[in-house]
Amino acid sequence: MQNNKPAPLHAALKIWFVGILSGPIFFYLGSALYGLVDIFSMDFDAPFLWGIMVLYGAALSLPSLALLWLALSVQYRRRQSEYGSWRTALAITFVLTAVPFVVISILTGLGIYVFGFAAAYLGGIWLGVYWAFGRTKFEQPLLGDEPLDANI
């Protein structure tokens, strides 16, 4: 049976990269949806804020990237099924996203406000999980497929 899972480092970098780039966008869209930010009367430079959030997110999530790589390496060696790989990757990324934000929430005393960031980044990270794991089954040829002119 063919292994359709991506290499652990490649998958971890994809998930991390998509998470840090799209997390701030999801946070901004969620804030606009709930009326916390008015899109049309912004007094700040949105690309600058996005860049700052990406830089902080990248720097602070490097330990999570290393742990994700380690967890995906273990998962890859255990030869889980494709469905098991999905579930494990989603669970690992949830824990690696939620725990730091819970710690930040406790240490800063901001409480529930930090969880908006966590939800936004988790959405971006799960988009990365889909990119790393979900697309592989669509890119693989079906077993038994051969060119139409193979028997000519």
Side-chain angles (χ1 to χ4, degrees):
M1 184 174 168
Q2 184 177 349
N3 189 358
N4 291 334
K5 292 184 287 187
L9 178 61
H10 193 236
L13 287 173
K14 276 183 170 181
I15 293 167
W16 178 74
F17 187 69
V18 171
I20 63 169
L21 290 180
S22 62
I25 294 170
F26 287 154
F27 179 74
Y28 179 74
L29 291 174
S31 297
L33 181 69
Y34 286 104
L36 301 175
V37 174
D38 187 8
I39 294 175
F40 301 108
S41 65
M42 293 178 15
D43 294 336
F44 58 88
D45 189 16
F48 177 75
L49 181 64
W50 175 80
I52 294 293
M53 289 178 73
V54 167
L55 287 177
Y56 275 108
L60 295 175
S61 67
L62 286 176
S64 292
L65 171 63
L67 289 172
L68 178 62
W69 180 25
L70 176 68
L72 292 178
S73 296
V74 169
Q75 173 189 10
Y76 193 79
R77 293 180 198 270
R78 291 189 65 215
R79 301 183 192 271
Q80 282 186 322
S81 68
E82 189 173 338
Y83 180 69
S85 297
W86 266 92
R87 288 188 350 213
T88 304
L90 291 174
I92 291 167
T93 54
F94 176 78
V95 170
L96 290 175
T97 304
V99 169
F101 279 107
V102 168
V103 170
I104 290 170
S105 173
I106 292 169
L107 293 177
T108 61
L110 292 175
I112 196 76
Y113 300 110
V114 175
F115 295 114
F117 281 106
Y121 276 100
L122 187 61
I125 289 167
W126 281 357
L127 184 64
V129 169
Y130 172 73
W131 186 36
F133 286 92
R135 293 184 52 202
T136 57
K137 65 182 175 183
F138 299 118
E139 294 172 354
Q140 299 294 328
L142 296 175
L143 296 176
D145 277 355
E146 58 184 26
L148 294 176
D149 59 351
N151 296 321
I152 294 179

